[in-house]
Amino acid sequence: MANVTIEIDKGSGFCFGVVNAIRKAEEELAKGGTLYCLGDIVHNSREVERLKAMGLVTINHEEFGRLHDAKVLLRAHGEPPETYETAQRNNIEIIDATCPVVLQLQKRIKQEYNRDDDSEKQIVIYGKSGHAEVLGLVGQTAGHAIVIESLEETKQLDFNKSIRLYSQTTKSLHEFREIVEYIREHMAPGVTFQYYDTICRQVANRIPNIREFAASHDLIFFVSGKKSSNGKMLFSECLKVNPNSHLIDSATEIDNSLLEGAESIGVCGATSTPKWLMEEISEAIHAFYASKE
Ligand code: SF4
């Protein structure tokens, strides 16, 4: 054990928007009574289970529509205006944990939609169609905004009409820049194109950080739910700089044969990976070496 270092990446784990939402949920749960959450509070089943055990009840939008006289937490992704209208109609108390960065973006898009400058302009959101945050953003424009998921889909826009481009907070900065370039090159004369880089650096900065972390250890355990898209993306970045990187979602998945002979082990994860889970992995590794002594 004396020769092995085990480090947990300080830059991995929940972004401040998610930390804030979980803190709000815990505060409300401590007061007692039932607290509902509209959608999974975070895309990590272990954390959802932890909060469920504390009393948090996750519901979907259909169930929300039928709910009356209750308390409902809105998670960091935010919600469209209809959710607030339903709450008012059904006497639902909202605990609003929408991330301040997302709230600000919702406001900007709403202002853009209400601005009376060009009746033909297209409000375009680069984001994942159907994603909760994107639904909340499109909702600010009464459903008029156009969602594009990729550079490929950018080609379907009408370049004879003005374009105002925004981005979902968690999209790729690199592709956003490519989209901006493509639109710039294709705009017809006489129409305008304005774009706003609304990508959250809490996520965008993780790529260079995690690459540096993965390169600085000889063995990497990347901890994430297997379905997390952010997890898949960050894990592939680890693999690029350190082929000895392994994706696990619990301590039981650690292959002990990898630990033999390792000198420097890094534990890192996605934006949906709780700190306590990375600590659990680190403790299991420590326990493995302790058992060898
Ligand atoms: S990624 Fe950024 S904008 Fe999205 S919830 Fe986290 S802190 Fe907020």
Side-chain angles (χ1 to χ4, degrees):
M1 180 71 218
N3 296 328
V4 186
T5 59
I6 303 164
E7 187 191 2
I8 298 177
D9 177 27
K10 290 187 187 66
S12 288
F14 298 154
C15 61
F16 74 75
V18 172
V19 169
N20 180 46
I22 290 171
R23 187 182 43 78
K24 277 202 175 149
E26 286 173 339
E27 278 170 15
E28 284 304 319
L29 288 166
K31 293 180 193 163
T34 305
L35 178 64
Y36 295 92
C37 180
L38 186 50
D40 280 341
I41 194 162
V42 61
H43 302 297
N44 183 281
S45 55
R46 300 284 307 275
E47 181 65 5
V48 170
E49 276 162 29
R50 188 185 72 86
L51 290 161
K52 187 178 170 189
M54 290 171 73
L56 188 67
V57 181
T58 304
I59 53 169
N60 60 29
H61 281 81
E62 215 183 298
E63 291 163 323
F64 176 74
R66 291 196 297 265
L67 206 63
H68 286 81
D69 313 314
K71 207 192 267 185
V72 178
L73 181 118
L74 304 184
R75 59 193 173 168
H77 290 320
E79 284 292 323
E82 299 83 74
T83 301
Y84 295 87
E85 287 158 17
T86 306
Q88 210 166 20
R89 258 198 323 274
N90 294 357
N91 192 32
I92 290 171
E93 183 189 344
I94 292 287
I95 308 296
D96 200 342
T98 304
C99 174
V101 179
V102 176
L103 262 187
Q104 187 60 26
L105 176 54
Q106 288 185 346
K107 269 191 207 142
R108 286 175 74 172
I109 291 178
K110 191 183 173 110
Q111 280 167 3
E112 182 73 71
Y113 179 65
N114 290 334
R115 195 172 299 131
D116 209 2
D117 54 345
D118 180 341
S119 61
E120 293 220 293
K121 72 184 171 191
Q122 303 166 88
I123 298 177
V124 178
I125 297 165
Y126 165 49
K128 193 169 186 328
S129 195
H131 185 283
E133 181 188 319
V134 174
L135 294 176
L137 299 178
V138 173
Q140 307 305 317
T141 66
H144 285 93
I146 301 166
V147 178
I148 53 166
E149 293 205 1
S150 60
L151 177 61
E152 201 45 44
E153 290 187 12
T154 311
K155 298 173 185 167
Q156 300 157 8
L157 297 174
D158 184 349
F159 300 103
N160 294 308
K161 292 179 182 167
S162 293
I163 292 178
R164 306 287 181 264
L165 174 69
Y166 294 83
S167 176
Q168 181 184 351
T169 58
T170 49
K171 291 297 278 181
S172 147
L173 196 51
H174 177 71
E175 193 169 36
F176 179 77
R177 287 177 179 149
E178 286 181 336
I179 289 171
V180 167
E181 271 323 296
Y182 185 90
I183 297 177
R184 232 191 222 143
E185 283 165 13
H186 289 82
M187 290 304 283
V191 289
T192 56
F193 168 45
Q194 284 161 17
Y195 64 92
Y196 306 93
D197 167 4
T198 51
I199 293 169
C200 176
R201 296 317 194 253
Q202 282 268 319
V203 173
N205 290 343
R206 298 233 170 165
I207 298 174
N209 290 352
I210 209 139
R211 287 175 73 109
E212 197 180 316
F213 180 80
S216 67
H217 294 282
D218 55 38
L219 171 61
I220 289 291
F221 287 110
F222 185 89
V223 190
S224 167
K226 303 270 159 62
K227 285 192 215 138
S228 158
S229 52
N230 171 262
K232 280 184 211 157
M233 186 270 286
L234 289 176
F235 177 58
S236 75
E237 294 298 326
C238 289
L239 275 176
K240 281 182 201 161
V241 294
N242 187 340
N244 199 15
S245 298
H246 304 271
L247 175 66
I248 57 172
D249 68 6
S250 70
T252 55
E253 291 193 349
I254 298 173
D255 175 355
N256 287 343
S257 68
L258 294 168
L259 302 177
E260 309 277 0
E263 286 179 5
S264 156
I265 302 174
V267 178
C268 51
T271 48
S272 52
T273 307
K275 265 252 136 75
W276 61 262
L277 188 53
M278 288 185 276
E279 279 158 9
E280 215 173 85
I281 305 295
S282 164
E283 278 157 25
I285 300 170
H286 277 285
F288 169 83
Y289 290 113
S291 72
K292 295 266 162 198
E293 282 174 355

